[in-house]
Amino acid sequence: MVANLIALVLVMGVALLMGFRSGAGVSAWLAVAGILLLFTLALTWLAVIPGLSASSVEGAGAFAYPLIFLPFVSSAFVPTKTMPGPVRWFAENQPVTSIVNTIRGLFAQRPVGDDIWTALAWCVGILVVAYVFAMAAYRRKIA
């Protein structure tokens, strides 16, 4: 988590150096940081599962490949309404889209609507499920 927090701070620092500006207040910035940290924690616990289950470092690292593509099939780069039917459905019903929409809304000082609750539900859901499976994998490993 500390390494991911450092990476998050570095990315935000570079964005600010490159000219990113937001009129968002302190509470919006804290909300963005909270959502990003919660999502990072969830993905960290998700990464524990293949880390404990794989027989090699390469096998454990391969689990990340599908996760790398999630931002590309989300609203991060283009609006989901411009996507073809099945791709749009997937993009609108995956965690990155609701997280991106929430962050965008908070930074643009727009109402975030239900996106924030969807983003939080995804983060907490992934975290709980990943934690349960990671602990089960850990118990199997030490048994």
mmCIF file with all atom_site columns, all heavy atoms in Angstrom, residues 6-21 29:
data_model
loop_
_atom_site.group_PDB
_atom_site.id
_atom_site.type_symbol
_atom_site.label_atom_id
_atom_site.label_alt_id
_atom_site.label_comp_id
_atom_site.label_asym_id
_atom_site.label_entity_id
_atom_site.label_seq_id
_atom_site.pdbx_PDB_ins_code
_atom_site.Cartn_x
_atom_site.Cartn_y
_atom_site.Cartn_z
_atom_site.occupancy
_atom_site.B_iso_or_equiv
_atom_site.pdbx_formal_charge
_atom_site.auth_seq_id
_atom_site.auth_comp_id
_atom_site.auth_asym_id
_atom_site.auth_atom_id
_atom_site.pdbx_PDB_model_num
ATOM 1   N N   . ILE A 1 6  ? 2.815   6.041  -2.776  1.00 0.00 ? 6  ILE A N   1
ATOM 2   C CA  . ILE A 1 6  ? 3.909   6.851  -3.338  1.00 0.00 ? 6  ILE A CA  1
ATOM 3   C C   . ILE A 1 6  ? 3.700   7.037  -4.844  1.00 0.00 ? 6  ILE A C   1
ATOM 4   O O   . ILE A 1 6  ? 3.857   8.140  -5.373  1.00 0.00 ? 6  ILE A O   1
ATOM 5   C CB  . ILE A 1 6  ? 5.277   6.220  -3.022  1.00 0.00 ? 6  ILE A CB  1
ATOM 6   C CG1 . ILE A 1 6  ? 5.559   6.318  -1.520  1.00 0.00 ? 6  ILE A CG1 1
ATOM 7   C CG2 . ILE A 1 6  ? 6.391   6.868  -3.836  1.00 0.00 ? 6  ILE A CG2 1
ATOM 8   C CD1 . ILE A 1 6  ? 6.742   5.485  -1.057  1.00 0.00 ? 6  ILE A CD1 1
ATOM 9   N N   . ALA A 1 7  ? 3.323   5.959  -5.534  1.00 0.00 ? 7  ALA A N   1
ATOM 10  C CA  . ALA A 1 7  ? 3.068   6.054  -6.974  1.00 0.00 ? 7  ALA A CA  1
ATOM 11  C C   . ALA A 1 7  ? 1.914   7.011  -7.259  1.00 0.00 ? 7  ALA A C   1
ATOM 12  O O   . ALA A 1 7  ? 1.979   7.816  -8.201  1.00 0.00 ? 7  ALA A O   1
ATOM 13  C CB  . ALA A 1 7  ? 2.761   4.672  -7.539  1.00 0.00 ? 7  ALA A CB  1
ATOM 14  N N   . LEU A 1 8  ? 0.872   6.947  -6.454  1.00 0.00 ? 8  LEU A N   1
ATOM 15  C CA  . LEU A 1 8  ? -0.279  7.842  -6.624  1.00 0.00 ? 8  LEU A CA  1
ATOM 16  C C   . LEU A 1 8  ? 0.128   9.303  -6.440  1.00 0.00 ? 8  LEU A C   1
ATOM 17  O O   . LEU A 1 8  ? -0.242  10.168 -7.240  1.00 0.00 ? 8  LEU A O   1
ATOM 18  C CB  . LEU A 1 8  ? -1.378  7.465  -5.631  1.00 0.00 ? 8  LEU A CB  1
ATOM 19  C CG  . LEU A 1 8  ? -2.638  8.316  -5.639  1.00 0.00 ? 8  LEU A CG  1
ATOM 20  C CD1 . LEU A 1 8  ? -3.337  8.249  -6.978  1.00 0.00 ? 8  LEU A CD1 1
ATOM 21  C CD2 . LEU A 1 8  ? -3.565  7.857  -4.531  1.00 0.00 ? 8  LEU A CD2 1
ATOM 22  N N   . VAL A 1 9  ? 0.926   9.570  -5.425  1.00 0.00 ? 9  VAL A N   1
ATOM 23  C CA  . VAL A 1 9  ? 1.398   10.936 -5.176  1.00 0.00 ? 9  VAL A CA  1
ATOM 24  C C   . VAL A 1 9  ? 2.282   11.410 -6.332  1.00 0.00 ? 9  VAL A C   1
ATOM 25  O O   . VAL A 1 9  ? 2.173   12.557 -6.781  1.00 0.00 ? 9  VAL A O   1
ATOM 26  C CB  . VAL A 1 9  ? 2.139   11.017 -3.816  1.00 0.00 ? 9  VAL A CB  1
ATOM 27  C CG1 . VAL A 1 9  ? 2.870   12.335 -3.666  1.00 0.00 ? 9  VAL A CG1 1
ATOM 28  C CG2 . VAL A 1 9  ? 1.155   10.813 -2.677  1.00 0.00 ? 9  VAL A CG2 1
ATOM 29  N N   . LEU A 1 10 ? 3.147   10.535 -6.827  1.00 0.00 ? 10 LEU A N   1
ATOM 30  C CA  . LEU A 1 10 ? 3.998   10.892 -7.965  1.00 0.00 ? 10 LEU A CA  1
ATOM 31  C C   . LEU A 1 10 ? 3.178   11.206 -9.211  1.00 0.00 ? 10 LEU A C   1
ATOM 32  O O   . LEU A 1 10 ? 3.449   12.189 -9.912  1.00 0.00 ? 10 LEU A O   1
ATOM 33  C CB  . LEU A 1 10 ? 5.010   9.783  -8.256  1.00 0.00 ? 10 LEU A CB  1
ATOM 34  C CG  . LEU A 1 10 ? 6.173   9.667  -7.288  1.00 0.00 ? 10 LEU A CG  1
ATOM 35  C CD1 . LEU A 1 10 ? 6.998   8.416  -7.586  1.00 0.00 ? 10 LEU A CD1 1
ATOM 36  C CD2 . LEU A 1 10 ? 7.046   10.902 -7.359  1.00 0.00 ? 10 LEU A CD2 1
ATOM 37  N N   . VAL A 1 11 ? 2.183   10.387 -9.507  1.00 0.00 ? 11 VAL A N   1
ATOM 38  C CA  . VAL A 1 11 ? 1.340   10.625 -10.681 1.00 0.00 ? 11 VAL A CA  1
ATOM 39  C C   . VAL A 1 11 ? 0.592   11.951 -10.539 1.00 0.00 ? 11 VAL A C   1
ATOM 40  O O   . VAL A 1 11 ? 0.530   12.737 -11.490 1.00 0.00 ? 11 VAL A O   1
ATOM 41  C CB  . VAL A 1 11 ? 0.363   9.450  -10.900 1.00 0.00 ? 11 VAL A CB  1
ATOM 42  C CG1 . VAL A 1 11 ? -0.716  9.810  -11.910 1.00 0.00 ? 11 VAL A CG1 1
ATOM 43  C CG2 . VAL A 1 11 ? 1.115   8.210  -11.346 1.00 0.00 ? 11 VAL A CG2 1
ATOM 44  N N   . MET A 1 12 ? 0.045   12.217 -9.363  1.00 0.00 ? 12 MET A N   1
ATOM 45  C CA  . MET A 1 12 ? -0.666  13.482 -9.150  1.00 0.00 ? 12 MET A CA  1
ATOM 46  C C   . MET A 1 12 ? 0.311   14.659 -9.237  1.00 0.00 ? 12 MET A C   1
ATOM 47  O O   . MET A 1 12 ? -0.030  15.700 -9.792  1.00 0.00 ? 12 MET A O   1
ATOM 48  C CB  . MET A 1 12 ? -1.381  13.478 -7.800  1.00 0.00 ? 12 MET A CB  1
ATOM 49  C CG  . MET A 1 12 ? -2.582  12.559 -7.750  1.00 0.00 ? 12 MET A CG  1
ATOM 50  S SD  . MET A 1 12 ? -3.818  12.882 -9.010  1.00 0.00 ? 12 MET A SD  1
ATOM 51  C CE  . MET A 1 12 ? -4.345  14.516 -8.585  1.00 0.00 ? 12 MET A CE  1
ATOM 52  N N   . GLY A 1 13 ? 1.508   14.492 -8.727  1.00 0.00 ? 13 GLY A N   1
ATOM 53  C CA  . GLY A 1 13 ? 2.523   15.548 -8.818  1.00 0.00 ? 13 GLY A CA  1
ATOM 54  C C   . GLY A 1 13 ? 2.894   15.864 -10.253 1.00 0.00 ? 13 GLY A C   1
ATOM 55  O O   . GLY A 1 13 ? 2.978   17.034 -10.649 1.00 0.00 ? 13 GLY A O   1
ATOM 56  N N   . VAL A 1 14 ? 3.091   14.820 -11.055 1.00 0.00 ? 14 VAL A N   1
ATOM 57  C CA  . VAL A 1 14 ? 3.417   15.019 -12.467 1.00 0.00 ? 14 VAL A CA  1
ATOM 58  C C   . VAL A 1 14 ? 2.238   15.686 -13.190 1.00 0.00 ? 14 VAL A C   1
ATOM 59  O O   . VAL A 1 14 ? 2.431   16.588 -14.011 1.00 0.00 ? 14 VAL A O   1
ATOM 60  C CB  . VAL A 1 14 ? 3.803   13.678 -13.138 1.00 0.00 ? 14 VAL A CB  1
ATOM 61  C CG1 . VAL A 1 14 ? 3.879   13.810 -14.652 1.00 0.00 ? 14 VAL A CG1 1
ATOM 62  C CG2 . VAL A 1 14 ? 5.117   13.175 -12.574 1.00 0.00 ? 14 VAL A CG2 1
ATOM 63  N N   . ALA A 1 15 ? 1.017   15.250 -12.871 1.00 0.00 ? 15 ALA A N   1
ATOM 64  C CA  . ALA A 1 15 ? -0.162  15.867 -13.492 1.00 0.00 ? 15 ALA A CA  1
ATOM 65  C C   . ALA A 1 15 ? -0.231  17.355 -13.167 1.00 0.00 ? 15 ALA A C   1
ATOM 66  O O   . ALA A 1 15 ? -0.508  18.178 -14.043 1.00 0.00 ? 15 ALA A O   1
ATOM 67  C CB  . ALA A 1 15 ? -1.426  15.161 -13.015 1.00 0.00 ? 15 ALA A CB  1
ATOM 68  N N   . LEU A 1 16 ? 0.038   17.707 -11.928 1.00 0.00 ? 16 LEU A N   1
ATOM 69  C CA  . LEU A 1 16 ? 0.023   19.123 -11.541 1.00 0.00 ? 16 LEU A CA  1
ATOM 70  C C   . LEU A 1 16 ? 1.141   19.897 -12.236 1.00 0.00 ? 16 LEU A C   1
ATOM 71  O O   . LEU A 1 16 ? 0.941   21.036 -12.682 1.00 0.00 ? 16 LEU A O   1
ATOM 72  C CB  . LEU A 1 16 ? 0.120   19.261 -10.026 1.00 0.00 ? 16 LEU A CB  1
ATOM 73  C CG  . LEU A 1 16 ? -1.121  18.804 -9.246  1.00 0.00 ? 16 LEU A CG  1
ATOM 74  C CD1 . LEU A 1 16 ? -0.819  18.721 -7.761  1.00 0.00 ? 16 LEU A CD1 1
ATOM 75  C CD2 . LEU A 1 16 ? -2.299  19.720 -9.510  1.00 0.00 ? 16 LEU A CD2 1
ATOM 76  N N   . LEU A 1 17 ? 2.321   19.274 -12.348 1.00 0.00 ? 17 LEU A N   1
ATOM 77  C CA  . LEU A 1 17 ? 3.432   19.927 -13.057 1.00 0.00 ? 17 LEU A CA  1
ATOM 78  C C   . LEU A 1 17 ? 3.121   20.129 -14.538 1.00 0.00 ? 17 LEU A C   1
ATOM 79  O O   . LEU A 1 17 ? 3.557   21.103 -15.147 1.00 0.00 ? 17 LEU A O   1
ATOM 80  C CB  . LEU A 1 17 ? 4.713   19.118 -12.907 1.00 0.00 ? 17 LEU A CB  1
ATOM 81  C CG  . LEU A 1 17 ? 5.391   19.175 -11.541 1.00 0.00 ? 17 LEU A CG  1
ATOM 82  C CD1 . LEU A 1 17 ? 6.541   18.169 -11.476 1.00 0.00 ? 17 LEU A CD1 1
ATOM 83  C CD2 . LEU A 1 17 ? 5.891   20.576 -11.249 1.00 0.00 ? 17 LEU A CD2 1
ATOM 84  N N   . MET A 1 18 ? 2.350   19.209 -15.106 1.00 0.00 ? 18 MET A N   1
ATOM 85  C CA  . MET A 1 18 ? 2.008   19.296 -16.524 1.00 0.00 ? 18 MET A CA  1
ATOM 86  C C   . MET A 1 18 ? 0.843   20.254 -16.781 1.00 0.00 ? 18 MET A C   1
ATOM 87  O O   . MET A 1 18 ? 0.488   20.478 -17.927 1.00 0.00 ? 18 MET A O   1
ATOM 88  C CB  . MET A 1 18 ? 1.676   17.910 -17.066 1.00 0.00 ? 18 MET A CB  1
ATOM 89  C CG  . MET A 1 18 ? 2.889   17.008 -17.144 1.00 0.00 ? 18 MET A CG  1
ATOM 90  S SD  . MET A 1 18 ? 2.493   15.354 -17.725 1.00 0.00 ? 18 MET A SD  1
ATOM 91  C CE  . MET A 1 18 ? 1.880   15.668 -19.349 1.00 0.00 ? 18 MET A CE  1
ATOM 92  N N   . GLY A 1 19 ? 0.235   20.771 -15.721 1.00 0.00 ? 19 GLY A N   1
ATOM 93  C CA  . GLY A 1 19 ? -0.811  21.769 -15.919 1.00 0.00 ? 19 GLY A CA  1
ATOM 94  C C   . GLY A 1 19 ? -2.197  21.377 -15.471 1.00 0.00 ? 19 GLY A C   1
ATOM 95  O O   . GLY A 1 19 ? -3.146  22.139 -15.678 1.00 0.00 ? 19 GLY A O   1
ATOM 96  N N   . PHE A 1 20 ? -2.364  20.201 -14.887 1.00 0.00 ? 20 PHE A N   1
ATOM 97  C CA  . PHE A 1 20 ? -3.690  19.833 -14.411 1.00 0.00 ? 20 PHE A CA  1
ATOM 98  C C   . PHE A 1 20 ? -4.109  20.777 -13.293 1.00 0.00 ? 20 PHE A C   1
ATOM 99  O O   . PHE A 1 20 ? -3.355  21.016 -12.355 1.00 0.00 ? 20 PHE A O   1
ATOM 100 C CB  . PHE A 1 20 ? -3.712  18.389 -13.878 1.00 0.00 ? 20 PHE A CB  1
ATOM 101 C CG  . PHE A 1 20 ? -5.019  18.026 -13.228 1.00 0.00 ? 20 PHE A CG  1
ATOM 102 C CD1 . PHE A 1 20 ? -6.133  17.748 -14.010 1.00 0.00 ? 20 PHE A CD1 1
ATOM 103 C CD2 . PHE A 1 20 ? -5.144  17.992 -11.855 1.00 0.00 ? 20 PHE A CD2 1
ATOM 104 C CE1 . PHE A 1 20 ? -7.342  17.424 -13.420 1.00 0.00 ? 20 PHE A CE1 1
ATOM 105 C CE2 . PHE A 1 20 ? -6.341  17.674 -11.259 1.00 0.00 ? 20 PHE A CE2 1
ATOM 106 C CZ  . PHE A 1 20 ? -7.447  17.384 -12.041 1.00 0.00 ? 20 PHE A CZ  1
ATOM 107 N N   . ARG A 1 21 ? -5.296  21.328 -13.420 1.00 0.00 ? 21 ARG A N   1
ATOM 108 C CA  . ARG A 1 21 ? -5.844  22.213 -12.395 1.00 0.00 ? 21 ARG A CA  1
ATOM 109 C C   . ARG A 1 21 ? -7.296  21.859 -12.153 1.00 0.00 ? 21 ARG A C   1
ATOM 110 O O   . ARG A 1 21 ? -8.014  21.485 -13.077 1.00 0.00 ? 21 ARG A O   1
ATOM 111 C CB  . ARG A 1 21 ? -5.751  23.685 -12.808 1.00 0.00 ? 21 ARG A CB  1
ATOM 112 C CG  . ARG A 1 21 ? -4.327  24.184 -13.030 1.00 0.00 ? 21 ARG A CG  1
ATOM 113 C CD  . ARG A 1 21 ? -3.556  24.226 -11.699 1.00 0.00 ? 21 ARG A CD  1
ATOM 114 N NE  . ARG A 1 21 ? -2.184  24.672 -11.892 1.00 0.00 ? 21 ARG A NE  1
ATOM 115 C CZ  . ARG A 1 21 ? -1.139  23.879 -12.007 1.00 0.00 ? 21 ARG A CZ  1
ATOM 116 N NH1 . ARG A 1 21 ? -1.283  22.578 -11.994 1.00 0.00 ? 21 ARG A NH1 1
ATOM 117 N NH2 . ARG A 1 21 ? 0.075   24.367 -12.145 1.00 0.00 ? 21 ARG A NH2 1
ATOM 118 N N   . TRP A 1 29 ? -10.905 16.611 -3.092  1.00 0.00 ? 29 TRP A N   1
ATOM 119 C CA  . TRP A 1 29 ? -9.585  15.985 -3.214  1.00 0.00 ? 29 TRP A CA  1
ATOM 120 C C   . TRP A 1 29 ? -9.448  14.815 -2.253  1.00 0.00 ? 29 TRP A C   1
ATOM 121 O O   . TRP A 1 29 ? -8.890  13.772 -2.609  1.00 0.00 ? 29 TRP A O   1
ATOM 122 C CB  . TRP A 1 29 ? -8.479  17.017 -2.971  1.00 0.00 ? 29 TRP A CB  1
ATOM 123 C CG  . TRP A 1 29 ? -8.181  17.855 -4.174  1.00 0.00 ? 29 TRP A CG  1
ATOM 124 C CD1 . TRP A 1 29 ? -8.763  19.032 -4.525  1.00 0.00 ? 29 TRP A CD1 1
ATOM 125 C CD2 . TRP A 1 29 ? -7.240  17.553 -5.199  1.00 0.00 ? 29 TRP A CD2 1
ATOM 126 N NE1 . TRP A 1 29 ? -8.234  19.489 -5.699  1.00 0.00 ? 29 TRP A NE1 1
ATOM 127 C CE2 . TRP A 1 29 ? -7.285  18.608 -6.140  1.00 0.00 ? 29 TRP A CE2 1
ATOM 128 C CE3 . TRP A 1 29 ? -6.353  16.518 -5.415  1.00 0.00 ? 29 TRP A CE3 1
ATOM 129 C CZ2 . TRP A 1 29 ? -6.485  18.633 -7.274  1.00 0.00 ? 29 TRP A CZ2 1
ATOM 130 C CZ3 . TRP A 1 29 ? -5.545  16.545 -6.545  1.00 0.00 ? 29 TRP A CZ3 1
ATOM 131 C CH2 . TRP A 1 29 ? -5.621  17.596 -7.464  1.00 0.00 ? 29 TRP A CH2 1
#
